[in-house]
Amino acid sequence: MVSLPFFFNDTATTEIYTLSLHDALPIFTAALKSGNCYITDGPAIDFFATGEKQTHIPMGSKLTGEKGKIRLSVKSTPEFGTIKKIVIYHGKFRERKESKFKEIALQNCFSHSQEFSFTIRQKGYLRIHVVSTTADKEFDAYSNPIWLEPAQG
């Protein structure tokens, strides 16, 4: 088994456990190149969208259509504390701004899953930020965006 730790400010943020580095490296680099990954120093994220004709659109991919659903699932452990909040951001290219689509405040939980429906009115994106806390420290996870494009009329 091979373990590849990646460090940021002397803290391991990602480890890949694999039986073969030769087999894992192409998968890892493909996920990074496609944007199908997230950054964290604590909580874990599973974030994807579904559309009228598309069934699974992961982070880094594009959802095209009029309506969609986002599904998110976040998890933490006692080491990284309970999940405090999840913020879903909606970026709009035309206005060149980002705003909160939804903020979920949580207490005393180590996992949370939820689904939201939305309408695609213009090009943009959705992304999430998760915060977990222990008694003395805060941890963050940031997703890559899911790109949104309205259907061509």
Side-chain angles (χ1 to χ4, degrees):
M1 183 176 294
V2 177
S3 173
L4 296 173
F6 294 88
F7 294 93
F8 180 73
N9 290 340
D10 298 325
T11 303
T13 56
T14 303
E15 286 199 27
I16 302 167
Y17 293 98
T18 179
L19 295 175
S20 165
L21 178 59
H22 180 267
D23 294 337
L25 202 52
I27 294 167
F28 177 68
T29 55
L32 287 174
K33 286 179 183 178
S34 72
N36 189 4
C37 54
Y38 60 93
I39 299 169
T40 188
D41 65 354
I45 297 173
D46 185 16
F47 175 56
F48 66 95
T50 59
E52 299 155 312
K53 296 180 182 176
Q54 296 167 283
T55 57
H56 185 88
I57 299 97
M59 292 175 276
S61 298
K62 180 170 54 173
L63 170 61
T64 303
E66 293 179 16
K67 297 182 182 211
K69 289 183 181 177
I70 54 170
R71 296 179 183 170
L72 61 91
S73 179
V74 298
K75 293 183 180 181
S76 188
T77 63
E79 177 184 3
F80 301 116
T82 57
I83 300 165
K84 179 179 175 182
K85 70 178 176 178
I86 303 165
V87 182
I88 304 167
Y89 290 97
H90 180 208
K92 298 176 184 176
F93 291 150
R94 192 178 312 140
E95 286 92 14
R96 293 181 180 242
K97 71 175 188 177
E98 182 179 77
S99 59
K100 288 182 185 176
F101 173 75
K102 185 86 170 170
E103 184 166 346
I104 306 159
L106 301 166
Q107 294 180 352
N108 301 318
C109 70
F110 286 99
S111 66
H112 182 80
S113 296
Q114 203 159 347
E115 181 178 287
F116 299 96
S117 296
F118 60 93
T119 302
I120 304 171
R121 292 188 175 89
Q122 62 176 288
K123 284 185 177 184
Y125 61 87
L126 293 170
R127 69 173 185 87
I128 64 174
H129 173 211
V130 180
V131 178
S132 66
T133 59
T134 61
D136 60 344
K137 192 168 181 187
E138 227 177 54
F139 300 91
D140 298 280
Y142 298 91
S143 77
N144 264 330
I146 295 174
W147 304 103
L148 306 174
E149 188 165 314
Q152 300 294 323

